[in-house]
Amino acid sequence: MNISRTAVGIFRSCTRNRNIMTRTRDILCLFDVDGTLTAPRKVIDAEIYKFLMEEVKPKCCIGLVGGSDQSKIVEQMGGNHCLQEFDFVFSENGILAVKNGTEIGRQTIQSFVGEERLQKFINYTLLCLSEIELPVKRGTFVEFRTGMLNICPIGRSCSREERNAFEKYDKQHNIRQKLVEKLKSKFPDFGLTLSIGGQISIDVFPNGWDKTYSLNYLEKEGFKAIHFFGDKVDKGGNDHEIYNDARVIGHRVTSPQDTMEKVCEVLKTIT
């Protein structure tokens, strides 16, 4: 399926009611990134970005909440302009929060967990990873971020083809799920959540630092409704907690095109 051609069709469908709708500041459409607005680790399609800016933003507030660090989200959105053009950008589940281009909050995992515990967890993780045999292994198996660790059995420096191959292999052999269970069993009292995200990795963060962390900032904004769109909403996925949070209206999506279609349905309810 041609993503641009599909996007254009949805874009045109949504424009039919453009003249009868006005922007409301009390509704927020909040989007996951990978699998929701983009293919995993890919740059957003130009037509989808145009749709967000010309069809969605004129009618309500828009925001991003991703597990990746800010630099990766900026890359996937096509540049730093997204920090100003989206009303909110929450990277690492909201541990780094930006509103209208201005940073409004930041937390770090090392200050919360403590260096001694953090090193114990990382050392054991590396031991476990050394015992996993895969068709290929590359580099950067544990990536240290501001508010989380990202564990990647194949290594984050893998190619696009190797990434896709690992995703299929993981679905057959449950590599990530088995690793999650092993780490949870080893560190039951560390207060850490382990969440499978994207195609190749596991996010590790303090309990409560899932994507619902971003809602701590949004509660202060007085939104009448927050619509969240995400693809990893099943238990163990990194959209699960926020999708099921009573403070949001969750929308399960399967692709960027599906996201656009579901957003169009939401826009029809905004007057």
Side-chain angles (χ1 to χ4, degrees):
M1 180 181 294
N2 186 296
I3 186 170
S4 295
R5 190 171 300 169
T6 304
V8 168
I10 300 170
F11 182 92
R12 288 173 178 170
S13 174
C14 279
T15 60
R16 292 169 187 165
N17 295 324
R18 173 185 289 179
N19 294 331
I20 65 173
M21 303 181 75
T22 57
R23 180 174 169 88
T24 175
R25 297 298 306 177
D26 57 6
I27 303 293
L28 172 67
C29 284
L30 183 62
F31 301 94
D32 167 52
V33 180
D34 273 2
T36 298
L37 293 181
T38 76
R41 291 295 302 126
K42 289 284 192 176
V43 176
I44 192 169
D45 184 82
E47 287 295 335
I48 293 179
Y49 198 90
K50 182 178 180 181
F51 168 77
L52 293 170
M53 294 301 142
E54 296 188 10
E55 292 304 315
V56 187
K57 189 175 180 180
K59 302 173 181 69
C60 62
C61 293
I62 57 174
L64 301 170
V65 56
S68 297
D69 59 34
Q70 187 179 95
S71 64
K72 290 186 176 68
I73 291 177
V74 164
E75 177 188 349
Q76 288 183 262
M77 289 298 106
N80 285 315
H81 54 82
C82 72
L83 298 175
Q84 286 77 36
E85 292 175 342
F86 282 85
D87 296 282
F88 297 93
V89 178
F90 299 111
S91 52
E92 300 188 50
N93 296 343
I95 302 308
L96 178 57
V98 172
K99 177 182 178 182
N100 297 323
T102 300
E103 184 177 315
I104 59 173
R106 180 190 292 261
Q107 182 59 280
T108 63
I109 187 171
Q110 67 264 37
S111 63
F112 187 90
V113 177
E115 187 62 34
E116 183 179 353
R117 282 191 163 195
L118 200 58
Q119 285 199 33
K120 284 182 179 179
F121 185 89
I122 292 172
N123 289 342
Y124 184 73
T125 298
L126 291 171
L127 176 62
C128 292
L129 290 171
S130 72
E131 297 171 347
I132 296 174
E133 292 188 7
L134 298 172
V136 299
K137 276 189 176 181
R138 296 301 176 246
T140 312
F141 301 101
V142 178
E143 184 175 78
F144 188 85
R145 300 177 180 174
T146 306
M148 68 173 69
L149 301 176
N150 183 265
I151 301 170
C152 184
I154 187 176
R156 296 201 64 85
S157 61
C158 61
S159 68
R160 171 60 55 183
E161 292 75 19
E162 290 164 345
R163 170 188 286 265
N164 293 339
F166 174 81
E167 181 181 29
K168 294 178 181 178
Y169 188 86
D170 187 43
K171 287 178 179 178
Q172 294 177 337
H173 301 280
N174 295 314
I175 300 298
R176 288 184 292 174
Q177 187 57 47
K178 290 176 183 176
L179 181 57
V180 164
E181 291 168 1
K182 194 171 184 178
L183 293 172
K184 282 183 176 179
S185 177
K186 178 68 174 180
F187 303 105
D189 60 344
F190 271 32
L192 296 173
T193 295
L194 289 86
S195 179
I196 295 172
Q199 289 180 295
I200 60 174
S201 61
I202 301 163
D203 292 333
V204 183
F205 45 84
N207 293 340
W209 286 24
D210 52 67
K211 288 181 180 176
T212 61
Y213 195 93
S214 64
L215 301 179
N216 296 330
Y217 300 100
L218 298 177
E219 280 187 323
K220 305 170 186 177
E221 300 293 327
F223 287 112
K224 184 192 301 181
I226 299 172
H227 293 269
F228 170 75
F229 302 84
D231 66 317
K232 295 288 191 302
V233 301
D234 292 326
K235 189 171 183 179
N238 62 0
D239 296 324
H240 176 75
E241 290 83 4
I242 191 169
Y243 174 80
N244 289 283
D245 194 285
R247 292 169 289 181
V248 310
I249 302 168
H251 302 270
R252 180 196 295 264
V253 301
T254 58
S255 66
Q257 298 94 334
D258 186 44
T259 299
M260 293 173 72
E261 292 172 2
K262 287 185 168 62
V263 170
C264 281
E265 292 301 312
V266 170
L267 294 183
K268 292 175 184 178
T269 70
I270 301 174
T271 58

